[in-house]
Amino acid sequence: MNAVLIALLVLPLLGAALTLAPVFGPEPAAADRRALRLNSVVTGAVFLLTVALAAGFDHDEPARMQATTDVSWIPALNVRLHFGVDGVSLPLIVLTALLTFLCALYSEKRLPGGDARGGTPEGHRPSAKAFVGLFLLLEVGMLATFAVLDLLLFFLAFEIVLIPMYFLIARWGSGAKAPAANRFILYTLLGSAVMLLGFLLIGSKAGTFDMQALAAAHGSGLSHTTQVIAALAIMVGLAVKAPAWPLHSWLPDAHTAAPTVGSVLLAGVLLKMGTYGLVRVLLPVVPDGTATLAPYLGAFAAVGIVYGSLACLALARPGAKGDLKRLIAYSSVGHMGFVLLGIASLTPVGVNGALFANIAHGLITGLLFFVVGALKDRYGTADLDTLAGATGAALYGRAPRIGALLAFAAVASLGLPGLAGFWGELLAMFGAFDPADGLSRPAFVTYMVLAGLGTLLTAAYLLIVVKRVCMGDPKQPAPVDGLADLRPYEAVSWTPLAALTLLAGLWPALLLGLSDPAVKHLLGGG
Amino acid sequence: MLGAQIAALGPHSTGQHTVTSLAVANPGSLIQSVDWVAIAPPLIAAVAALAVLVTDLFLAERHRKWLGRLTAAGLALALIALLPLTGGSPRATFCVQNVAGATDNAGCSYVADHFALVFQLLVLGGALIAALLSAHTVEDEKLPGGEYWFLLLSSATGAALLPASRDLATMVIALEVASLPAFALVALRRDGRGAEAALKFFVSSVTATAVMLLGIGFVYAASGSLHLGAVAQGLEHAPGQLKPLAEAGAVLTLVGFAFKVAAVPFHFWVPDTYTGAPLPVAGYLSVVGKAAGLSGLALATTIAFRPYAHTWGLALAVLAAVTMTVGNVGALRQRFDTRYSAVRLLAWSSVGQAGYLLVPLAAAGYAPTGVDPLGATAAYALIYGVVNLGAFGVVAAVGRRAGTSVDDFRGLFARRRWTALALAFFLLCLAGLPPGVIGLFGKVVVFRAAVDAGLGWLAVVMAVNVVVALYYYLLWTARLFAPAPDTEPVGEAEAERRLPAGLTATLGLTASVAVVLSFAPQLVLQVAGGSLF
C-alpha cells in the first residue's frame, strides 16, 4: 500500500523529468503529440493508482493513517519523508488524480494556444513538451500536499505548485495574463511564507514538525499565546490560498487569464489545498489558538459568501460586460466561504460539511470551467454580453448538450438537493447553527443567516446565467455560425464529473462515512 | 602566516602580562611547533599564487592558458587539504600559552574548527569556480594572465585564512590580503569603467579598514588582548571608565566587516564595482568577498564581543532588515533593457541576499547558550555561493562581451535549452521556490534561526522581502521562456559558437551540485544542525 502512495508521487515526477530528455523525436509536431500522449498515460496511471489506493484502503478505520511511510530526509531540520492517507485526504487525492487525468485527456485534443502578441506564428507557440513537464510537476505538488504528514514537507508541496501554475497562466493563458500570473504567485507566496513562520514557531516550541505527533499532542505543550500567534500566521497563509475574503483578489484575475485546464485545476484542487491545510494542521495542532480565532474566520467566511454572490450578481447583469470565467471565480469565493464557515464552527458536523463541500466544489466548478472554457473556445470570448446578445445565447437550441451540461452544473452549484452541492453547504450551515462549546452561538447563528442569504443570491445569479446563456431566441443573429455541440473528447472528459456530482448528491454517505471518523479524530474525539 | 606569527607573539613582546626577556630560562618554548596540516588549505593557495607568478616569467605567450589550469589545480588541492581536518577535534596552531583566560584554544591564532572548515570550503570552492569561469575571460579580454591568476589566488588565500584566524590582528591582515588583490582584479579591465569601479571600491574599502583598525585599537586598549576569546574576557572585566572606549571600539570594528559584507549603508559600491569588474571577478566578489566579511563578522561578534550580545544582536537585526529591503528594492527598480542590467540586477540581489545572511548572525545575539544559529548562515552561504556563481556563469556564457542586459535573455530557451534551464534553476534557487528546493530549505533554515531566537518581526520583514525578490527573479526567468525577439541580438553568430570548456565546466558543476543538493539537502544543511565551534 505505501508503495502505491509513493509511486503516486514519483511517477509524475519521472514523467516531468522525461520531458527534458530528447526522447520525443526531432519533428516538432510529432514530438508534441507524443508528449501529450505521455501526459495522458502518466496521469491515467496515477489515477489508476489512486483507485487502487482507495480500494485497498481499510474503510473500517478511516481515522487511522494508512499506507504510511516514515523515513528521515533532512535530520538537520528534523524533516522526515512522512506520507500517509486517512479518510480526510483520500477523497481529495482521488479527486486530484481524476481532475488532472481529465485535464490531460482534454488538452491532448485541445492544447491551450497561448496567444503570442500579434497572432500565433508557429515558431512562437510554447511547446507541448514544456506544457506536459509543468503539468506533471503541478500534479506532484498537488498530490504531495494531500499525502504528506510533515509540516515542512507540506510547505514544500504547497510551493511546488506555484511555478507550474504561474507558467500555465503566463504562457498558455489569454488576455492580461502576465499581470494575473504575477499577482497569483506573489499573493500566494506571501501567504505561504507567513504560514511557514507559523510552522516554524510550532516546530520551535513543540520540537517536532511531524503532523501526527503534533495532532496526538493536541496542543499540549504549546502556550496559549504561541498557539494564537501560530494559528494566526497559518490561518492567514491558508486563507490566501482558499481564498477567504478579503484575501481573494488574486483569484478572479488568475481564473480569467488562465487556460481552461489551468482554471479547472486551480478551482478544483489548488483552492482545496488551503482548506485542507486548515483541517489537517490548524484544528488538531493548535486547537486553543484556533478556537480563539474561529469567530473571526467565521465572520470573514460569512462576508465572503455574501460578497461573492453579490459580485456574481453584478457581473451577471445585462450590460455589465461580465466575463463568465470571472463570474465563476467569484462564485468560488462564495462557495469556499461555506467551507470556511463549516471549519470555523469547529464541530464534526461543520467540518464534515466543509470537506464534503470541498469535493463537491471541485467536481462542480471543474465541470463549470470546462463548459465555459469550451464556450470561450467556440465564441472567442467569455464575455456574457457578447455571448447572450439581445435575447440570450440560446444554447438549448444551438448546442443542446452543452446547454444541458451548463444548466446541470449551474443547478448543482446553487445547491439543488440530490446533487453534490447541497450536502456540504447544508452541513456547514448546520455546524454554524450549533457551534462547538466556547464559541459564541449568536455570532455563529448570524453567520448562518448570512450564509442562507448567500444561497438565495447564489441561486439568483446562477439562474440568470442559465437564462442568458442557455435560453433565448435561436433565430437571432449569433456571433458565430454553426456552433459545434459536444465533441467526443469533451464528452469523455466531462461525463465523469457530471456522474460523480450526481452520485455524491444521491449517496453522500460514501464520502461522509470516510471523513466523519477522521474528523472526529482530528477534533480530539469530539 | 607572518601576520599570525606576529600576532601570536604580540602579547609577549608588548609585555602586557608576562615580560619576556631575551634570556629566558627555556629558549625552546619560544619555538613554535606549527601544525602544517591545519594551515595547509590557505598555505597551498599561497604557494600556488607564488608558483603562478614565477611560472608566468618563464612561460611562452602561447602556453599562457596553463596558468589558469595551474590555478585551478592549486585551489582543488587546497580543497582536498580540507579533508584530513574534518574528523576529530579542532586542530589549533600558533598558540600562546599564557594569554589571559587561555582555555582550550583561546590563546591560539589559528583554529581549524568546523566553522573555519565550512567557510574555507566556501571560499576555496568559490574561488575554484571563479577560476574556471575566468579562463575564457582572461583570453577574450586580453587580461594579463600571470597577474590575474596571482591576484585571484592571493585574494583567496586571505579569504581562506580569515575564518580560521582567532585574533584581531590576523583577522585584519587576512581581510586585507583578501581585499587588496581584489581592487587590482577589478581594475584589470582595460576601460574607463574598470578604473572607476576599482577606485570606488578602493577608496570606500580603505576607509572602512582605517575605521576598523581604530576600533581594534580601542578594543585592545580596553581589553588588553587581541585574541578573540581573551578579548571577551577582558571586555567583561574591563574597568568602568574604559567601557565607552570598548563599546566604541566594538562598533567601529564591526563597521569594517559590515563593509565587506556589503551591508547597508556600505553597499553603494556594489553595483558599480560589479559592472566595472570582469564578470568572473564580480562573481568572485559576490561570493568569496562576502563570505570573508561574513566569517569575520561572525567571529568578532559571537566570540570577541559576546558580552555585548544584546547590543550587536539588535544592531545586526536592524542591519539585516535594512540591507535586504534596500537590496531588493534596488533590484526591483533596476530596468531590464539597459546595458549591464543583468549584472546590476545580480549585484542588487546579492545585497539583498547579504541581508538574509545576516539574520542568523543577529539571532546569535539573542540565542540562549548552547544554541548556535551560525550554522544557518554557513549553510545559506554555501547554497548561495553555488547558485550565485552559477548565475554569473550563465551571464558570462550569454553575454560573452560585457554589457548584457536582462532583455538579451529573452527567448534563450529556444536558442540554448540547457543554459536557459540552468539559469532558471539558479534564479529559482535564489528566490527559494521549488524546483529550486535547496534554495527553499536554505531560506527555511534562516527563518528558523530568526523564529527560534524570538526575532518574529525580522522573520516577517524577511518574508515580505522574499516575496519582493521573487518578483524580479521571476520576471527574469519568464524572459528566458518568452518568445524569441524577431530581431536577432547582435553577436548571435558568436554566441552560437560552442561554449568554452571552462564555462561548460562551471555550469555543469554548479548545476549538478545544486540539483544533487535539492534531492539531498542534508548534505549541506548538516552544517546548520549542530554547533560550529
Side-chain angles (χ1 to χ4, degrees), chain B residues 43 325 336 406 410:
Chain B
L43 192 63
T325 310
F336 278 13
V406 177
R410 185 180 283 279

Side-chain angles (χ1 to χ4, degrees), chain A residues 20 73 75-76 163 171 200 204, chain B residues 417 434 447 452 481 519 522 525:
Chain A
L20 290 176
W73 186 35
I163 288 288
R171 296 288 285 126
L200 288 172
S204 164
Chain B
R417 220 162 118 75
F447 272 124
D452 282 354
F481 301 100
F519 281 100
Q522 173 67 12
L525 294 184

Side-chain angles (χ1 to χ4, degrees), chain A residues 236-517:
Chain A
V236 168
L238 293 169
V240 172
K241 195 83 162 192
W245 182 88
L247 302 172
H248 65 279
S249 62
W250 60 271
L251 184 76
D253 289 345
H255 269 308
T256 313
T260 303
V261 290
S263 291
V264 171
L265 291 181
L266 197 55
V269 183
L270 260 62
L271 305 191
K272 275 70 202 172
M273 289 164 56
T275 45
Y276 171 78
L278 288 175
V279 175
R280 171 67 72 203
V281 179
L282 211 58
L283 297 186
V285 175
V286 282
D288 291 355
T290 312
T292 309
L293 296 174
Y296 305 99
L297 182 66
F300 284 125
V303 174
I305 295 171
V306 176
Y307 172 88
S309 2
L310 286 179
C312 287
L313 263 183
L315 285 172
R317 264 183 315 126
K321 297 235 169 290
D323 185 293
L324 259 185
K325 292 182 84 175
R326 177 175 284 269
L327 185 142
I328 301 172
Y330 272 113
S331 87
S332 293
V333 176
H335 287 300
M336 295 318 277
F338 281 100
V339 178
L340 294 172
L341 181 63
I343 295 172
S345 75
L346 301 183
T347 55
V349 178
V351 177
N352 272 315
L355 289 170
F356 195 95
N358 244 352
I359 301 286
H361 179 255
L363 294 169
I364 298 168
T365 311
L367 183 58
L368 270 176
F369 271 118
F370 265 137
V371 175
V372 171
L375 282 184
K376 189 172 178 179
D377 283 344
R378 285 166 170 73
Y379 281 91
T381 174
D383 179 44
L384 198 50
D385 288 334
T386 319
L387 247 61
T391 61
L395 278 190
Y396 285 152
R398 291 201 181 114
R401 293 203 181 87
I402 291 187
L405 267 173
L406 180 65
F408 173 80
V411 293
S413 182
L414 66 81
L416 192 74
L419 295 176
F422 172 69
W423 296 107
E425 302 189 356
L426 181 80
L427 289 174
M429 285 161 69
F430 233 61
F433 179 68
D434 187 13
D437 296 338
L439 295 179
S440 153
R441 178 114 198 260
F444 272 87
V445 170
T446 317
Y447 304 155
M448 189 204 71
V449 172
L450 281 175
L453 179 67
T455 54
L456 288 180
L457 295 173
T458 307
Y461 71 77
L462 281 168
L463 291 177
I464 293 178
V465 167
V466 169
K467 173 168 167 280
R468 295 192 65 201
V469 177
C470 296
M471 302 178 188
D473 177 14
K475 302 276 188 320
Q476 65 158 339
V480 282
D481 293 325
L483 196 64
D485 203 354
L486 198 63
R487 296 193 178 100
Y489 69 89
E490 291 171 337
V492 168
S493 44
W494 301 351
T495 329
L497 295 179
L500 285 175
T501 305
L502 196 60
L503 179 69
L506 294 176
W507 190 20
L510 181 69
L511 282 173
L512 292 175
L514 273 176
S515 63
D516 187 46

Side-chain angles (χ1 to χ4, degrees), chain B residues 174-518:
Chain B
L175 198 59
E176 286 313 297
V177 172
S179 307
L180 286 172
F183 306 142
L185 277 175
V186 172
L188 273 184
R189 220 172 78 194
R190 302 270 168 82
D191 58 8
R193 268 180 177 273
E196 186 198 328
L199 192 67
K200 222 171 196 172
F201 185 24
F202 176 73
V203 170
S204 39
S205 184
V206 165
T207 315
T209 307
V211 169
M212 180 162 63
L213 281 173
L214 182 67
I216 290 176
F218 286 179
V219 170
Y220 181 61
S223 68
S225 177
L226 286 173
H227 283 92
L228 299 180
V231 165
Q233 295 232 332
L235 289 181
E236 245 171 301
H237 304 121
Q241 69 267 34
L242 288 182
K243 277 258 156 73
L245 186 68
E247 281 158 11
V251 170
L252 294 177
T253 310
L254 296 186
V255 164
F257 289 115
F259 172 87
K260 298 290 172 195
V261 187
V264 172
F266 311 109
H267 67 287
F268 51 85
W269 56 276
V270 172
D272 288 338
T273 305
Y274 283 16
T275 44
L279 203 58
V281 175
Y284 174 84
L285 285 178
S286 78
V287 171
V288 180
K290 203 153 281 187
L294 206 62
S295 58
L297 196 60
L299 287 174
T301 49
T302 51
I303 304 183
F305 303 143
R306 186 81 237 173
Y308 300 144
H310 275 84
T311 317
W312 58 251
L314 181 62
L316 283 182
V318 173
L319 202 63
V322 176
T323 302
M324 63 178 84
T325 310
V326 168
N328 284 326
V329 170
L332 208 56
R333 288 165 49 95
Q334 180 63 47
R335 290 175 47 143
F336 278 13
D337 52 355
T338 50
R339 285 188 76 209
Y340 295 102
S341 56
V343 177
R344 287 190 85 89
L345 192 70
L346 283 178
W348 280 114
S349 106
S350 84
V351 175
Q353 301 277 353
Y356 307 148
L357 285 166
L358 286 173
V359 169
L361 281 189
Y366 290 88
T369 43
V371 182
D372 185 14
L374 279 190
T377 291
Y380 194 83
L382 281 173
I383 297 163
Y384 162 77
V386 171
V387 294
N388 205 44
L389 279 171
F392 268 101
V394 176
V395 173
V398 169
R400 301 281 292 283
R401 298 275 165 220
T404 325
S405 75
V406 177
D407 277 344
D408 291 347
F409 288 80
R410 185 180 283 279
L412 185 67
F413 183 70
R415 302 203 297 277
R416 293 199 212 150
R417 220 162 118 75
W418 292 104
T419 316
L421 283 176
L423 181 59
F425 190 63
F426 294 139
L427 289 175
L428 290 178
C429 279
L430 284 173
L433 211 59
V437 176
I438 190 58
L440 176 110
F441 278 114
K443 294 240 163 41
V444 168
V445 176
V446 172
F447 272 124
R448 191 183 66 154
V451 171
D452 282 354
L455 282 169
W457 65 270
L458 186 57
V460 171
V461 171
M462 182 171 159
V464 174
N465 266 288
V466 168
V467 176
V468 171
L470 172 72
Y471 183 67
Y472 59 83
Y473 289 128
L474 201 59
L475 283 187
W476 192 350
T477 311
R479 288 273 194 292
L480 301 174
F481 301 100
D486 293 328
T487 53
E488 292 287 299
V490 192
E492 186 59 17
E494 184 208 22
E496 287 303 324
R497 225 172 56 193
R498 268 182 67 82
L499 276 184
L503 277 179
T504 316
T506 313
L507 294 186
L509 186 67
T510 46
S512 43
V513 168
V515 169
V516 167
L517 289 182
S518 286

